[in-house]
């Protein structure tokens, strides 16, 4: 992976590499964003089904696993967080130039955090939930195009997705 060395900083927010001690806040953020973003009546994805799926994400075991993954420093992987008001407000995981996660606390969206984070790594592809139009349009604005439709299978939850790539 190719990373830019300068990390974003403002008076109230900074972007840095994740450390194992961030695991608990990252897990809570991911859970919050999933509950806020993915329930969708049209696709039959209820808040209850999302809640059931994410209920253990902030458990001690899941936090331990996340902490271990962050600490492993796997090759071709980078994990960044944005910190504001002394808490993690965004999380980005890139593996082999593929964006695996970009979660931003809804209270901190539309502040340029996602754009700054995307600028920190070379990203060639990503998968985004089709009905998350806010995210789809965000990635289009950053030069990604829809390559194909897919389905992310999480057992009881199946999310329709777009695979997006940079031309």
């Amino acid at each position: 992976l190719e990373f830019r060395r300068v990390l974003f900083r403002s008076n109230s927010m900074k972007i840095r590499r994740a450390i194992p001690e961030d695991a608990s806040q990252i897990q809570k953020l991911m859970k919050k964003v999933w509950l806020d973003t993915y329930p969708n009546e049209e696709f039959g994805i209820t808040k209850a089904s999302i809640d059931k799926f994410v209920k253990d994400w902030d458990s001690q075991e899941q936090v331990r696993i996340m902490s271990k993954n962050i600490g492993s420093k796997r090759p071709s992987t980078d994990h960044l967080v944005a910190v504001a008001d002394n808490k993690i407000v965004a999380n980005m995981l890139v593996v082999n130039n593929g964006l695996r996660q970009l979660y931003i606390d809804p209270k901190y969206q539309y502040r340029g955090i996602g754009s700054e984070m995307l600028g920190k790594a070379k990203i060639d592809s990503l998968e985004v939930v089709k009905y998350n139009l806010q995210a789809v349009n965000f990635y289009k604005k950053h030069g990604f195009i829809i390559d194909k439709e897919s389905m992310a299978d999480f057992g009881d939850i199946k999310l329709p997705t777009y695979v997006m790539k940079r031309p």
Side-chain angles (χ1 to χ4, degrees), residues 70-137:
I70 293 170
S72 71
K73 298 191 187 325
R74 293 174 286 179
S76 300
T77 299
D78 200 28
H79 201 159
L80 300 178
V81 294
V83 180
D85 303 323
N86 296 314
K87 67 179 181 178
I88 292 172
V89 298
N91 168 57
M92 182 175 84
L93 178 65
V94 178
V95 179
N96 295 322
N97 295 344
L99 181 64
R100 299 291 180 256
Q101 299 173 357
L102 179 55
Y103 296 118
I104 302 170
D105 185 316
K107 293 178 186 173
Y108 290 84
Q109 292 176 2
Y110 299 102
R111 297 185 188 191
I113 296 170
S115 296
E116 288 295 329
M117 292 185 90
L118 276 185
K120 303 299 177 202
K122 182 179 185 310
I123 300 170
D124 297 328
S125 65
L126 60 93
E127 193 169 5
V128 62
V129 174
K130 278 174 66 167
Y131 58 79
N132 186 353
L133 298 180
Q134 176 183 337
V136 171
N137 290 328

Side-chain angles (χ1 to χ4, degrees), residues 3-18:
F3 297 99
R4 297 184 183 135
R5 301 290 298 172
V6 177
L7 296 181
F8 178 78
R9 180 184 292 265
S10 74
N11 290 335
S12 61
M13 199 254 321
K14 69 177 180 176
I15 295 173
R16 62 168 172 76
R17 291 199 184 329

